[in-house]
Amino acid sequence: MDEDARRNMRPLSLHVPEPRFRPGDAVDFADFDIPDVAAAPRPDIGAMPEEMRSLAYGLVRVLDLDGASGGAWAPRLSPERLVAMLRHMALVRAFDDRMYRVQRQGKTSFYMKCTGEEATSIAAAYALDRDDMCFPSYRQQGLLIARDWSLVDMMCQIYSNRGDRLKGRQMPIMYSAKEASFFSISGNLATQMPQAVGFAMASASRGDTRIAACWCGEGSTAEGDFHSACTFASVYRAPVIINVINNQWAISSFSGFAGAESTTFAARAVGYGIAGLRVDGNDALAVYAATEWAAERARNNFGPTLIEHFTYRAEGHSTSDDPTKYRSAEERSAWPLGDPIARLKQHLIAIGAWDEERHAAMDREVAEEVKAAGKEAEKQGVLGDGLHQPFTTMFEDVFEELPWHLEEQSRQMVEERKAAGI
Amino acid sequence: MTDDTPTKTMNMIQAINSALDICMERDKDIVVLGEDVGYFGGVFKATEHLQKKHGKTRVFDTPITECGIIGVAVGMCTYGLRPVPEIQFADYIYPALDQLVSEAARLRYRSAGEYTAPMTVRSPFGGGIFGGQTHSQSPEAIFTHVAGLKTVIPSNPYDAKGLLIAAIEDNDPVIFFEPKRIYNGPFDGHYGKPVTPWAKHPSSAVPEGYYRIPLGKAATVREGNDVTILCYGTMVHVTAGVVAESGIDAEIIDLRTLVPLDIEAIEASVKKTGRCVIVHEATRTSGFGAELSALVQERCFHSLEAPIERVTGWDTPYPHSLEWAYFPGPVRLGQALKRVMES
């Protein structure tokens, strides 16, 4: 093209996504389309991914906003089981609240809540077998709690104290609990995604019946590991459930920076030839139903499922974050899909299995349970009141056996401290 | 550690293939995965016949995604398998760095032993084959710098098999770099001469059965009293050639394992000779030679009669047509030996 022709063209422009509401803005979700619970069909677990394209763009819902349940996805769960699920969700929230407070009190360095996202891990855990291997990110503490993992053990990790099985090596909340089939959490985003696929491939190659599930946020789907995970899962038809928790925010970046302006995260599945489901993540029954469907699909050798859990990160990213600096404070209360605990509570009340009194009693109980666990954990120390692990443990577990150079460094450290009189 | 099975003349590829075959036979948890490693048997034929013999679920081709290959391997370890992933060229290991450095290397540490990554990452490395910028690199220093990884580099068929078996059986993640220049025969750096096949080298007599060479143990290739030369991979043969021509009574140490390093062998040798030359193909700045030089200086200071010399690749990307000006060959090593002997 010659220079003159170029001069006559309109200049290109770069699109930089911008969230709808910034601090101080009035929030209005009136145009937010909430599909009816009857809108999403429930395909056979062996359905071909291309037959279920609409599910990747719709929203699987079971609970409508007044607490009634319905639609093809409504799971058959007893009221007792629903109450247990509700209680676990309340327990996670109480745990988060207390751990947030102890961070503010200086008893630990860091914490991350999952407020508003409790259903995405608790209901998912209810739909999995206890030995199905979970590869979580840092915001799925609900998996451990749903598997009745010791709160004291979790708190000891958060305090890096004498009871910390990880010997003070990991930042708070980077749990590891092999007995609960809960993989060691890494700070590096999305690395767990191909790892889960590898676990699933191993299980399949051994003719086992265990499946794997992994979780990442919508922000982390932009990582290359996410692409690797989906490719491998598709190629080998790995028995894995790939969960994307779309809570709208990756620290200060809204989901548009991960691609949400152009498509859904469930729709990524379409390109990989994976079954894709987009689910109301604040609807515990929908999360349960979708996970149960995906688990059945995986267990029957029909391959992987990608589930986008559409939810909202109600609190700051972490104790180091202040969300009022980048988003409107009204968003949380205006969020059209509500609160997962409130919605399940309302449903239980609607079916006559629950009431306000019982709910209030439950809230008191879980708070007491967390408080008692907190006291127990704090007996073993909190961060800052002296070191809780012998110094030399720092050098252990780098390798199976201590090589000479680590042995030397360990000795040097002890000698230097002794010489310095500490 | 040697077995009593008859030996067979093998090149390095055959020795590596034999190690994989034997390990897979002995341990059903071992799986081999990577680009082109399955049906085709690998672009260097290191995995030839393995899929046919051990089945598609134990030896299989992967999509072209290094981060995926290593990530999946970590997950397989979590299940209880012992994967041996292949990265087609060491130059292409970088997309997998996050999984290697942040995951495989730290898994045991961060989970206090709950989870481990007993995998061996095989990858052809090194230059001398007109491979240009992305088929010649020697990135070992990137891995020796990572706490939690072991790095192994064999220099002949016998060691390649014994070290690979030991690496696969090791419960820590091992980076196993195979110098592709010497897959088919030793190379003394005289690039104009025809390639000598391994058959004429004593290290090509490889036991057909199981044996292992412990990780962390160097081999003294030649005993001598005048100068210690520390080297590994292809450079072992370049060094041996130069020493034979120079008439210098050099002690040549093939490190074989860089982490954990055989510090005793190095220390004993330099204290005896009082001089030290370090040779590697990788670029100089922050290369593994810098670590070796520092260790020798710290531990053998009073025995040193001359500054420690490093003969390495230049601090440039690996060039194509200028390969033999780049490669630390006989001329450069000869000059360094002369300098260190005269000072």
Side-chain angles (χ1 to χ4, degrees):
Chain A
M1 199 177 294
D2 66 32
E3 281 299 305
D4 286 341
R6 271 203 191 283
R7 259 195 294 276
N8 288 328
M9 290 175 76
R10 266 178 43 198
L12 294 166
S13 64
L14 178 70
H15 171 69
V16 179
E18 186 60 34
R20 295 176 65 188
F21 313 112
R22 284 297 194 185
D25 289 350
V27 170
D28 182 4
F29 285 118
D31 58 346
F32 191 97
D33 176 38
I34 304 178
D36 189 81
V37 294
R42 187 181 188 279
D44 184 82
I45 55 160
M48 296 301 283
E50 66 264 28
E51 294 166 24
M52 20 187 319
R53 277 184 99 255
S54 68
L55 285 161
Y57 294 92
L59 201 63
V60 171
R61 302 181 68 239
V62 172
L63 293 177
D64 64 23
L65 294 176
D66 51 29
S69 74
W73 286 89
R76 290 191 190 89
L77 283 167
S78 67
E80 293 73 31
R81 208 151 150 74
L82 291 177
V83 168
M85 202 188 275
L86 180 73
R87 192 177 189 286
H88 271 131
M89 283 163 64
L91 185 56
V92 176
R93 188 164 291 183
F95 184 85
D96 277 359
D97 285 342
R98 183 172 178 98
M99 290 297 103
Y100 186 88
R101 265 203 321 280
V102 301
Q103 192 279 336
R104 289 300 188 244
Q105 292 164 358
K107 291 177 180 174
T108 186
S109 60
F110 183 76
Y111 192 70
M112 294 175 110
K113 297 171 112 178
C114 68
T115 312
E117 303 171 35
E118 291 89 348
T120 62
S121 53
I122 296 288
Y126 269 70
L128 295 170
D129 283 348
R130 194 184 159 86
D131 65 351
D132 288 335
M133 189 70 200
C134 294
F135 291 78
S137 82
Y138 45 70
R139 226 185 286 280
Q140 278 77 50
Q141 53 265 56
L143 294 172
L144 276 178
I145 286 176
R147 287 179 172 180
D148 292 320
W149 193 249
S150 153
L151 299 184
V152 177
D153 183 81
M154 293 170 75
M155 288 172 174
C156 287
Q157 197 282 326
I158 290 164
Y159 288 134
S160 280
N161 65 13
R162 289 186 295 283
D164 176 13
R165 288 179 299 106
L166 308 185
K167 303 182 185 177
R169 291 176 188 153
Q170 275 277 52
M171 258 180 95
I173 73 156
M174 306 266 183
Y175 314 106
S176 178
K178 195 173 187 175
E179 278 176 56
S181 296
F182 183 97
F183 188 65
S184 153
I185 296 173
S186 168
N188 294 62
L189 297 179
T191 50
Q192 72 277 13
M193 308 305 273
Q195 293 166 356
V197 177
F199 183 97
M201 288 168 64
S203 181
S205 77
R206 279 312 183 79
D208 200 344
T209 56
R210 291 174 75 185
I211 63 170
C214 52
W215 285 260
C216 72
E218 90 285 351
S220 301
T221 63
E223 293 280 6
D225 293 73
F226 181 78
H227 168 65
S228 293
C230 292
T231 304
F232 271 76
S234 168
V235 167
Y236 302 99
R237 293 185 198 159
V240 65
I241 306 172
I242 296 171
N243 293 287
V244 175
I245 308 297
N246 177 7
N247 65 13
Q248 318 301 322
W249 293 93
I251 309 187
S252 74
S253 306
F254 89 111
S255 57
F257 284 98
E261 285 186 336
S262 309
T263 186
T264 70
F265 294 97
R268 306 266 190 246
V270 176
Y272 292 103
I274 294 174
L277 300 173
R278 191 158 177 268
V279 172
D280 178 351
N282 290 7
D283 174 346
L285 297 191
V287 171
Y288 177 91
T291 309
E292 186 189 41
W293 184 92
E296 281 301 299
R297 181 175 174 86
R299 257 187 257 285
N300 284 284
N301 279 310
F302 292 119
T305 303
L306 192 164
I307 305 176
E308 173 186 349
H309 302 264
F310 194 77
T311 181
Y312 185 79
R313 194 193 77 208
E315 297 270 357
H317 166 70
S318 72
T319 48
S320 309
D321 178 44
D322 176 6
T324 65
K325 299 279 191 260
Y326 51 79
R327 68 183 189 186
S328 171
E330 286 178 25
E331 265 190 21
R332 176 182 180 169
S333 54
W335 184 246
L337 296 173
D339 176 275
I341 294 179
R343 285 176 62 190
L344 185 55
K345 171 192 171 189
Q346 193 184 18
H347 173 66
L348 279 164
I349 291 173
I351 61 172
W354 200 237
D355 54 47
E356 291 291 350
E357 292 73 40
R358 273 183 277 183
H359 195 85
M362 176 194 73
D363 276 343
R364 281 194 300 275
E365 272 169 40
V366 293
E368 279 306 313
E369 187 177 339
V370 169
K371 196 171 158 193
K375 280 188 178 162
E376 195 58 35
E378 289 187 26
K379 277 188 205 159
Q380 305 193 61
V382 295
L383 191 73
D385 64 351
L387 286 174
H388 302 296
Q389 280 81 26
F391 301 114
T392 50
T393 60
M394 189 195 323
F395 298 94
E396 294 165 3
D397 298 324
V398 177
F399 297 101
E400 185 176 37
E401 286 163 19
L402 202 65
W404 67 267
H405 62 287
L406 288 179
E407 207 176 294
E408 257 188 30
Q409 289 168 29
S410 172
R411 209 170 21 215
Q412 183 185 349
M413 183 189 62
V414 171
E415 279 164 13
E416 282 175 358
R417 293 181 66 90
K418 211 197 288 175
I422 44 172
Chain B
M1 289 274 181
T2 326
D3 73 345
D4 298 327
T5 59
T7 62
K8 198 173 154 186
T9 303
M10 295 186 198
N11 63 27
M12 257 173 93
I13 295 281
Q14 292 161 331
I16 286 159
N17 186 271
S18 170
L20 290 168
D21 188 23
I22 285 170
C23 286
M24 295 196 77
E25 190 79 54
R26 289 168 64 100
D27 184 349
K28 299 295 173 209
D29 289 336
I30 292 167
V31 290
V32 167
L33 66 155
E35 296 154 17
D36 304 298
V37 305
Y39 183 85
F40 180 60
V43 295
F44 290 103
K45 296 287 161 208
T47 56
E48 199 166 30
H49 307 309
L50 294 180
Q51 186 181 71
K52 194 162 186 207
K53 182 167 171 190
H54 300 283
K56 281 209 298 189
T57 59
R58 293 189 65 202
V59 182
F60 56 89
D61 293 318
T62 63
I64 304 172
T65 154
E66 289 76 17
C67 121
I69 293 169
I70 303 300
V72 154
V74 171
M76 290 179 151
C77 291
T78 301
Y79 182 83
L81 302 189
R82 303 179 73 89
V84 187
E86 177 184 300
I87 301 294
Q88 205 160 72
F89 285 86
D91 315 63
Y92 304 134
I93 203 165
Y94 309 122
L97 269 190
D98 193 32
Q99 285 287 347
L100 286 169
V101 174
S102 311
E103 301 297 314
R106 285 156 207 262
L107 197 49
R108 180 190 293 278
Y109 192 74
R110 76 172 195 230
S111 71
E114 268 199 340
Y115 296 101
T116 59
M119 65 161 85
T120 302
V121 183
R122 289 183 41 249
S123 190
F125 98 128
I129 58 150
F130 277 108
Q133 299 192 18
T134 56
H135 298 83
S136 309
Q137 295 170 34
S138 299
E140 65 273 20
I142 290 173
F143 298 96
T144 56
H145 189 57
V146 177
L149 294 180
K150 292 178 177 173
T151 303
V152 178
I153 300 174
S155 69
N156 60 68
Y158 180 84
D159 284 359
K161 179 170 173 181
L163 287 167
L164 182 55
I165 291 175
I168 290 171
E169 292 182 349
D170 197 280
N171 288 326
D172 292 312
V174 180
I175 309 293
F176 193 86
F177 280 136
E178 301 164 2
K180 58 187 167 301
R181 182 62 178 83
I182 56 171
Y183 266 156
N184 293 308
F187 175 63
D188 62 8
H190 293 286
Y191 52 88
K193 289 197 308 193
V195 181
T196 332
W198 274 112
K200 297 191 174 158
H201 193 282
S203 297
S204 69
V206 178
E208 290 188 280
Y210 172 91
Y211 68 98
R212 42 186 283 166
I213 295 172
L215 304 187
K217 291 281 172 229
T220 304
V221 175
R222 183 192 189 280
E223 288 189 12
N225 291 302
D226 292 347
V227 55
T228 299
I229 307 179
L230 305 177
C231 50
Y232 47 90
T234 303
M235 300 318 293
V236 171
H237 304 283
V238 175
T239 301
V242 171
V243 168
E245 286 166 21
S246 70
I248 295 169
D249 188 21
E251 182 145 296
I252 304 173
I253 297 183
D254 176 358
L255 297 174
R256 302 200 291 197
T257 303
L258 305 191
V259 176
L261 188 66
D262 189 348
I263 194 67
E264 283 176 21
I266 295 170
E267 235 180 289
S269 178
V270 177
K271 282 180 177 163
K272 177 177 73 174
T273 63
R275 291 179 161 83
C276 181
V277 175
I278 295 157
V279 194
H280 61 58
E281 285 183 67
T283 49
R284 178 171 303 174
T285 302
S286 304
F288 191 65
E291 180 64 28
L292 290 170
S293 176
L295 285 168
V296 169
Q297 189 272 139
E298 286 161 8
R299 286 159 186 267
C300 309
F301 183 73
H302 296 291
S303 309
L304 285 175
E305 291 168 37
I308 301 161
E309 281 273 351
R310 279 186 288 162
V311 185
T312 69
W314 304 118
D315 280 341
T316 68
Y318 204 108
H320 183 249
S321 72
L322 300 172
E323 171 143 65
W324 300 117
Y326 175 93
F327 187 87
V331 173
R332 292 184 49 209
L333 181 53
Q335 303 265 334
L337 277 177
K338 215 172 140 209
R339 279 197 301 272
V340 83
M341 292 312 298
E342 283 169 5
S343 69

